[in-house]
Amino acid sequence: ETGVTQTPRHLVMGMTNKKSLKCEQHLGHNAMYWYKQSAKKPLELMFVYNFKEQTENNSVPSRFSPECPNSSHLFLHLHTLQPEDSALYLCASSQDIGNSPLHFGNGTRLTVT
Amino acid sequence: GESVGLHLPTLSVQEGDNSIINCAYSNSASDYFIWYKQESGKGPQFIIDIRSNMDKRQGQRVTVLLNKTVKHLSLQIAATQPGDSAVYFCAEGDNYGQNFVFGPGTRLSVLP
């Protein structure tokens, strides 16, 4: 079991639905991240939070809305998604920003129909 | 960001042989490098990292080599086992940045 837990593992949603992805880290890290992993593309950074403050929004469409209530929990709220948003969404944490490795969860496999 | 690429998208090795997975990077300002392993249905798992003040670092059955002159990184796996079958990613970053740049990955297949 990893120190980063993501739920749900699988999610199928229609384009008009609203859903949320949840991430929790048990490592005492200060930074948390959302990454998108699509087929045949490298991992893409979406958002970064450091000590609960958002420090990076990597030009992500507004239909993706992150929330970080504390340094252990991270959410990704989804609404009016497109089929091309289907991907594996990975949460990660690190001790600090830069100079420390990312620890990933097992991801949420999202399918938008 | 700068690109990180892999020379070989797939690699097949016999069980017991050594594996070498290569990675090229283009950002000369990068000073921190990580190798990840991703098995089917799982997230990337940290294997080993190396900072730019080193050219070699060893872990359990793995060695990472860094050649800053030619901007090249490699992961060597000794006595490759079936459990090593996975996709391997390199990632580059710096001590101040928050955006690791990941390579596309190399799939390692271990043949019996």
Side-chain angles (χ1 to χ4, degrees):
Chain A
E1 183 174 331
T2 69
V4 179
T5 304
Q6 290 187 244
T7 56
R9 288 300 311 276
H10 301 273
L11 178 63
V12 180
M13 60 185 290
M15 289 190 286
T16 58
N17 290 161
K18 290 184 179 181
K19 296 287 184 182
S20 296
L21 309 185
K22 180 182 176 182
C23 176
E24 182 176 0
Q25 59 100 355
H26 314 276
L27 301 169
H29 289 169
N30 299 317
M32 296 189 76
Y33 310 73
W34 281 115
Y35 276 85
K36 178 182 179 182
Q37 187 174 37
S38 306
K40 300 180 181 178
K41 292 175 81 173
L43 280 163
E44 300 173 76
L45 178 68
M46 300 176 71
F47 301 103
V48 182
Y49 280 82
N50 192 31
F51 291 98
K52 303 188 302 178
E53 299 299 319
Q54 187 179 132
T55 59
E56 177 82 14
N57 177 335
N58 200 24
S59 302
V60 181
S62 59
R63 58 185 183 270
F64 295 91
S65 176
E67 179 189 0
C68 189
N70 55 63
S71 57
S72 298
H73 294 85
L74 186 65
F75 296 89
L76 188 62
H77 304 299
L78 316 171
H79 64 98
T80 58
L81 294 192
Q82 305 298 312
E84 60 265 28
D85 296 323
S86 298
L88 181 68
Y89 288 86
L90 291 161
C91 174
S93 68
S94 65
Q95 184 61 53
D96 298 297
I97 294 291
N99 206 35
S100 59
L102 303 176
H103 295 259
F104 287 89
N106 285 328
T108 294
R109 173 67 64 186
L110 174 67
T111 303
V112 181
T113 61
Chain B
E2 300 283 346
S3 65
V4 175
L6 289 167
H7 294 302
L8 298 173
T10 59
L11 177 65
S12 296
V13 298
Q14 290 292 137
E15 182 178 353
D17 287 353
N18 297 333
S19 303
I20 300 176
I21 302 172
N22 296 303
C23 180
Y25 66 95
S26 57
N27 186 355
S28 56
S30 294
D31 53 15
Y32 181 48
F33 305 88
I34 309 175
W35 279 102
Y36 285 93
K37 171 187 180 184
Q38 187 173 22
E39 297 174 273
S40 180
K42 296 186 178 181
Q45 176 187 358
F46 171 83
I47 301 173
I48 192 167
D49 59 1
I50 188 168
R51 303 186 193 282
S52 59
N53 61 350
M54 303 173 70
D55 53 20
K56 180 180 180 178
R57 191 166 186 221
Q58 290 183 290
Q60 186 176 12
R61 282 201 307 117
V62 296
T63 300
V64 56
L65 299 177
L66 175 62
N67 185 330
K68 295 180 287 293
T69 302
V70 295
K71 300 191 188 73
H72 184 267
L73 189 70
S74 68
L75 177 70
Q76 300 178 2
I77 304 174
T80 311
Q81 302 170 359
D84 295 326
S85 293
V87 176
Y88 289 81
F89 297 92
C90 64
E92 62 172 316
D94 59 54
N95 286 336
Y96 307 100
Q98 56 195 1
N99 189 0
F100 283 97
V101 177
F102 286 81
T106 292
R107 181 172 299 281
L108 176 66
S109 295
V110 181
L111 306 174

